[in-house]
Amino acid sequence: MTRAVLSLGSNLGDRIAHLRAVVADMADVLVAVSPVYETAPWGGVEQPDFLNAVVVVDDPAADAWAWLRRGQRLEQAAHRVREQRWGPRTLDVDVVAVFDDGRDVRSDDPELLLPHPGTPERATVLVPWLDVDPDAVLAGRGPVRALLAALPPGDAAAMRRRDDLPLRVRAVP
């Protein structure tokens, strides 16, 4: 069984629609969906605020590369353009962590670094991950709760939970 934690972000166009498109595309493998958070941009580039979330997915037929390729396909469908590092984007799908039969998958390949190297410094990933897995552990770094506690207090405090923007839209009977 291959399970993955994917971080989602959008700050251009219909931000919530971009995130919902990922959830809809992954409906067949979805295990958990975090609440949506609105966050200031990270990386020093002037741009609009992001909507961020985390999904946990599971598919015995998918390896780490399959999760990366699926995320890239969804980014392309959202017309993502990579013009500036940490710049604005319609959709960002990062493979944060992958587990194969409960074991952490590691990768040093520059195209797929696992676990995702930026995770320990990003409340935008850690907070929603804890929402869906309070006991989460990041390989080689420790409990996600401890990583979040090690960040400056303002990082998590600046995140605005947006319960008015659910990612799973219930069908009307």
Side-chain angles (χ1 to χ4, degrees):
M1 162 173 57
T2 302
R3 182 170 285 209
V5 177
L6 307 177
S7 173
L8 314 178
S10 176
N11 74 338
L12 290 179
D14 189 341
R15 301 175 303 164
I16 193 64
H18 293 306
L19 299 185
R20 285 179 179 154
V22 173
V23 171
D25 182 84
M26 300 216 177
D28 62 322
V29 294
L30 210 52
V31 173
V33 180
S34 79
V36 172
Y37 288 87
E38 192 160 18
T39 63
W42 191 88
V45 177
E46 188 69 31
Q47 58 188 302
D49 285 352
F50 276 85
L51 292 183
N52 293 100
V54 163
V55 296
V56 178
V57 290
D58 194 324
D59 183 351
D63 63 5
W65 288 96
W67 295 121
L68 176 67
R69 298 292 180 241
R70 193 165 180 175
Q72 289 172 333
R73 178 181 53 77
L74 291 164
E75 290 174 347
Q76 289 171 350
H79 306 290
R80 166 139 184 207
V81 177
R82 296 176 189 268
E83 293 178 346
Q84 183 178 24
R85 184 174 180 160
W86 296 316
R89 47 204 170 269
T90 55
L91 181 62
D92 188 26
V93 180
D94 285 335
V95 181
V96 174
V98 177
F99 309 95
D100 186 3
D101 286 328
R103 293 183 309 276
D104 296 308
V105 174
R106 306 249 186 158
S107 173
D108 293 332
D109 190 296
E111 189 179 357
L112 178 62
L113 296 170
L114 287 175
H116 192 285
T119 300
E121 294 83 33
R122 294 188 184 143
T124 58
V125 176
L126 301 175
V127 169
W129 189 2
L130 286 172
D131 282 333
V132 295
D133 185 359
D135 298 319
V137 175
L138 183 65
R141 300 305 293 265
V144 170
R145 189 168 307 285
L147 296 173
L148 182 61
L151 295 179
D155 286 13
M159 296 175 62
R160 297 170 304 285
R161 186 169 162 158
R162 296 291 307 269
D163 290 330
D164 59 316
L165 299 174
L167 286 181
R168 286 191 180 179
V169 179
R170 297 184 197 276
V172 177

